[in-house]
Amino acid sequence: MAKPVKDKETQLREQQEAETRRRQYRTNQEETRKKLKHARFEESEPVEDTDGKAQVHLPRKRFYRQRAHSNPFSDHRLEYPRSPEDMKWEKLYPQYHDKDSDSMLSKVEIADIGCGYGGLLTKLAPEYPSTLILGMEIRVQVTQYVEDRIIALREKHKDDEVNFQNISVLRGNAMKFLPNFFQKGQLSKMFFCFPDPHFKQRKHKARIITNTLLSEYAYVLREGGVVYTITDVEDLHIWMAKHLEEHPMFERLDKAWEEQDKCVSIMYNATEEGQKVTRNKGSKWIACFRRLPTPEDCD
Amino acid sequence: MKHPFQLLLANSKGTHLFVSVKNHLQVYDLSNGNVVGSWSDTVDISVPSKKQEKKVASVEELKGDKKLKNNDAKPVAVAKTPVPIQGATPIYNYIRSLNLSKDEKYLVGTTDSDKAAVIFEVDLANSENCLKIIKRQIFPKRPCAVSIGDDSDLIVADKFGDVYATTIDSEPPVDEKALTPILGHVSMLSDVKFTRFNGKKFILTGDRDEHIRITNYPKAYVVKNWLFGHHEFVSTLHIPSYDPSLLISGGGDDYLCLWKWYDNKLLAKIELRDLIAPYLTEAHMPAERFLKPDSVKEISITKILTHSVDDKKILLVLCENTNCILTFEIAGDFSVKHLQTFVTKDSIIDICLEETSGRVFASIDREEGDLVELYDLGPDGQLSVASTNMGTKITEGNHCQVESRQNFYPLYYINTLRKRSEH
C-alpha cells in the first residue's frame, strides 16, 4: 500500500477532471460517428462529410468505462423497432442492403446478448463472413465504444477480405425487447458471455437466463440453433445449466461437441471479460444447448 | 357517504350481480335487489405479518452480530429490510379483479393485501350466503389479473410479469415458494386471457410495455407469437364470445387494436381521441412532475366489452375517469363505425354487460345518489337508461361508509402504468 495519500478534495477534483476528459473524448467520437453515416436505427439524416475524411482511430476503452451493472427492469429510454418488420437493418449493415429492391440481402442470424466491448463480435466476423452478427448491450457508453470500434475496423479494413461489414451493435434490453428485433426462428446462435451474476436471491429474475426468458430465446432461435453460455462464476454456471436443462425446448450439448465447435474456443479466448479471467487465473465454465423442435401440438 | 363500487360483474343469465367495495364482496339478486352473498377480506395490512416481524427481528440480531465481529459496521443488514420509503404508494386492502368460471359455479377475486387469489363456490340456492370461500392461494407477487380455463385451470398474472397456473378446487393452498411460473414477461402484466382456438388452448398476456404475447397452453414454454400494434402500455384484452378468433386490445394509446390474433393480423385501429376529447378533464393531464410543454390529456382504457345483437356486433368502451361509454359497430369486413357516446352525470368507475338481455351496469363515482346505473343496449346499438329502480336498491345494499372523498380507495389507477422514464 505505497499509494500516496491524497486529501478528499484533491481526489474529488481529479475524479471530476478525469470524467470531463472522458466525456470530451466521447463527444469528439460522437462527431466522428455521425460524419461516418454510421448506422443507428433512428431516422436521423446522416451528416455529410464536407471537409474530407474524418480521422478514424480505434477507440480507447478507458474513455467509455461504465459500471458493470444495469437494471433490466427499469424503463430506460431505449430505441427499438415497433416490430421486427419495422427494424431498419440497412442502417446497421449498409453493405448488405440492396438499394434497388430496398431489402436486406441477409438477416441477422447470430446474436451476442450483452456483448460488452465487442471482442466476440470482432472474432466471429471473419469466421462467418456471409452471416450477419449483432451485439446487444444495455450500457450506453459501452455500446458507443463498440460502435466506434466497428467504424474504425470497417475503415481500416475496407479493402480487405474481412471488412467487418457483417458485424454491428445496438443498445437494447434483450430481456424486454428481443421479439421486437427478431422474427420467430430467425437466429441460429445466441451467445451469453459473462453475464451479470446478480448474486442476491431476490435479484435472480434479473438474470439473463431464467426459465421464463428461455421460452423467448427458444422463440427467436430456429430448431437446431445453439445457446452458448460462459461465465467465471460457478454458481451462475450451475444456475444457467440447470435452467436450460430443465427447459423442454433445450438439450445440453456434450463435451465432445464443445471441443469440436469453433465458437466455443473463440468464446473461451476472445472476449475482454474472458481474457481478464485468464489474466487473473480464474476458471471459466461453459454450457451449450441445442434448441429442440417445436412440439407438434403447438403453434 | 358511501364508498362507490369498484368492480361489477353480472352472471350470464343476468340473475345476479357480483360487486366489490373496498375489501368487501357482495352478491345482489337482480330480481329484488337483495344482498344474497357477502364476504369481507379481514387480512389487516396495518399489522405486519408474522413473516415481516420475524424479518425485522432477525435483522436486529444480524446488526448486533456485525458489531461484534466488525467495528466499522456498514449498514449492510439494515438496507436489506424492505421498509416502504416515505411517500411510497400505500397498499390498499381491496379486491383488484373479479372473475366467474365458465360454468359460473366459482368466483375468483384477487387481493392486494396478501397477494392472494380467493376462490369461492357460488351456491345461489343457499339463502344465507351464496359465497363460500374454498381456497385462498397466496402468490409470491401481487396478482393483477386472472383468467379461468374450462378445465378449472386458474391462470394468474402478477405485477412481476409472471403467470402461474393453479386449479380451482378445495385442496389446501400450495406454499407460494413452491409455485413456479409457467411463463413470464420482463414487465408488469396488466391482463391475461385463457382461450381456445382450433381445438388448442392459448394464453394471451398484455404488459406495461406495449407487448401482447400469445403462448401455447399447457405447453406454455412455446411462444406462438407477439402482437405488435401498441405504442403505450396495454391494460385490457377482450375476446368477444361471439367470435373467439378476434381480440380487441386497449391501454394507453389513443386507439384500440382489433386483431385476428391467431393469424397475427391487425384488422383495424379504432381511433378514440376525437371522440373522447370533450370528456377528458384536467385530471387526465400528467402529474406536474411529468408535465412537458407538449403534454396532452391522456387516455387510458378501463374496459372493453362486446355484444352480439341481431347479427349486429356492438363494441363498448370505457375510458378511465370519464362520464361516458363509447359504442361502435364492428362490421362484417371489420371496419368499425362509431354509434353513440352515451353520457351520464358523473365519472364511471367500471361497467359490465349481461349478455342475455344486453343490459349494462355502471358503477358511478358520486357522493350522493345511485352508485349503480343500469342501461339497456338496444338492437340499434344505442344505450338508454333502463326503467328500473334496481340501481337505487343496489346502492341501499352498500353499507360501506366513509367520511369524505378523501377516504375513497384509488378508483382510477390505470394511467399510472404509463412510462415516464427519461434515462
Side-chain angles (χ1 to χ4, degrees), chain A residues 114-130:
Chain A
C115 66
Y117 292 94
L120 184 73
L121 295 174
T122 57
K123 295 293 189 303
L124 288 175
E127 297 292 335
Y128 297 92
S130 55

Side-chain angles (χ1 to χ4, degrees), chain B residues 313-354:
Chain B
K313 313 300 180 203
I314 310 294
L315 166 69
L316 295 94
V317 182
L318 174 64
C319 296
E320 183 166 61
N321 200 358
T322 61
N323 62 336
C324 63
I325 300 169
L326 301 173
T327 65
F328 300 85
E329 182 180 355
I330 304 174
D333 63 354
F334 302 115
S335 62
V336 181
K337 190 180 83 186
H338 176 237
L339 291 178
Q340 186 193 14
T341 303
F342 178 84
V343 184
T344 184
K345 244 165 83 193
D346 300 291
S347 271
I348 302 172
I349 301 159
D350 189 26
I351 54 172
C352 74
L353 174 73
E354 176 253 287

Side-chain angles (χ1 to χ4, degrees), chain B residues 35-206:
Chain B
V35 177
V36 292
S38 64
W39 176 79
S40 295
D41 184 8
T42 50
V43 171
D44 189 351
I45 44 174
S46 62
V47 180
S49 68
K50 272 187 189 151
K51 207 166 90 187
Q52 282 167 321
E53 272 173 29
K54 221 169 114 189
K55 217 184 249 170
V56 173
S58 67
V59 166
E60 296 288 305
E61 283 162 29
L62 249 166
K63 247 162 91 184
D65 280 359
K66 265 252 147 76
K67 272 191 183 140
L68 285 176
K69 283 181 207 151
N70 189 345
N71 272 333
D72 59 12
K74 288 176 187 167
V76 181
V78 186
K80 279 185 180 169
T81 341
V83 182
I85 52 159
Q86 246 190 350
T89 324
I91 298 163
Y92 293 94
N93 196 5
Y94 75 146
I95 319 274
R96 188 176 281 267
S97 72
L98 212 49
N99 280 271
L100 276 167
S101 62
K102 294 232 161 55
D103 59 11
E104 302 189 338
K105 282 184 182 154
Y106 299 97
L107 178 76
V108 180
T110 57
T111 64
D112 267 20
S113 56
D114 61 346
K115 305 170 186 164
V118 191
I119 305 170
F120 301 91
E121 201 174 78
V122 182
D123 178 11
L124 296 173
N126 186 323
S127 55
E128 292 219 342
N129 188 351
C130 68
L131 289 182
K132 183 182 156 205
I133 182 166
I134 58 168
K135 189 173 180 175
R136 185 169 189 138
Q137 174 67 54
I138 293 175
F139 289 90
K141 302 285 168 185
R142 197 159 292 144
C144 47
V146 306
S147 187
I148 305 169
D150 28 22
D151 310 319
S152 76
D153 294 324
L154 179 64
I155 312 294
V156 179
D158 74 19
K159 293 188 85 171
F160 205 42
D162 288 327
V163 174
Y164 295 87
T166 148
T167 46
I168 294 182
D169 53 37
S170 45
E171 298 289 312
V174 182
D175 180 37
E176 80 250 34
K177 288 196 187 77
L179 293 165
T180 35
I182 56 162
L183 69 96
H185 296 215
V186 181
S187 178
M188 186 193 290
L189 290 174
S190 50
D191 206 357
V192 62
K193 285 283 177 288
F194 171 96
T195 193
R196 272 177 187 274
F197 194 76
N198 281 353
K200 293 176 183 171
K201 299 182 215 171
F202 297 94
I203 292 174
L204 279 62
T205 35

